[in-house]
Amino acid sequence: MIEVSFDGAASSNPGLAGGGIYIKDGKGHEMRHALPFGILSSNHEAEFAACVAALRIALENNYRTVSFRTDSQLVNQALEKRYVKNSLYAAYLKDALHYIDQFDLFFCKWIPDKQNKNADALARLAIKQQSEK
């Protein structure tokens, strides 16, 4: 099973934001993505943007059975319930659900921050790279 960890970060609310995606394919291969998102409204929006990007990347790599990990309880609950109250996040959730429905098997699990260090470091790197331009 493919393991995908993702994280979003924002420098302030609103502020420069980035996403980090760390993928382990179960065969010893790893992929790392530091994605610049520009200015977003909040860390929560960055988390949703990172989730959608991670789903898209997994599908682009033809992964059909995936286990996602996030330290965002908001994103995890939204995916579980297939619902989010805040209209700002609704478009992200709609995109995420569209992608999720294309997998043969999809899981998402909430993990503590300390277990999501790889994705977190990539999200922070994406912010740093944008601020240096």
Side-chain angles (χ1 to χ4, degrees), residues 50-99:
C51 174
V52 172
L55 289 162
R56 180 182 43 78
I57 289 169
L59 286 169
E60 287 171 354
N61 283 281
N62 294 315
Y63 299 143
R64 307 306 303 163
T65 302
V66 295
S67 176
F68 272 53
R69 287 150 171 61
T70 178
D71 58 20
S72 170
Q73 291 182 345
L74 177 65
V75 171
N76 189 57
Q77 289 173 356
L79 295 177
E80 273 184 17
K81 295 177 182 178
R82 300 178 72 92
Y83 173 78
V84 65
K85 281 184 185 180
N86 189 320
S87 62
L88 176 64
Y89 311 139
Y92 290 104
L93 180 61
K94 180 180 177 185
D95 289 344
L97 295 175
H98 169 75
Y99 289 136

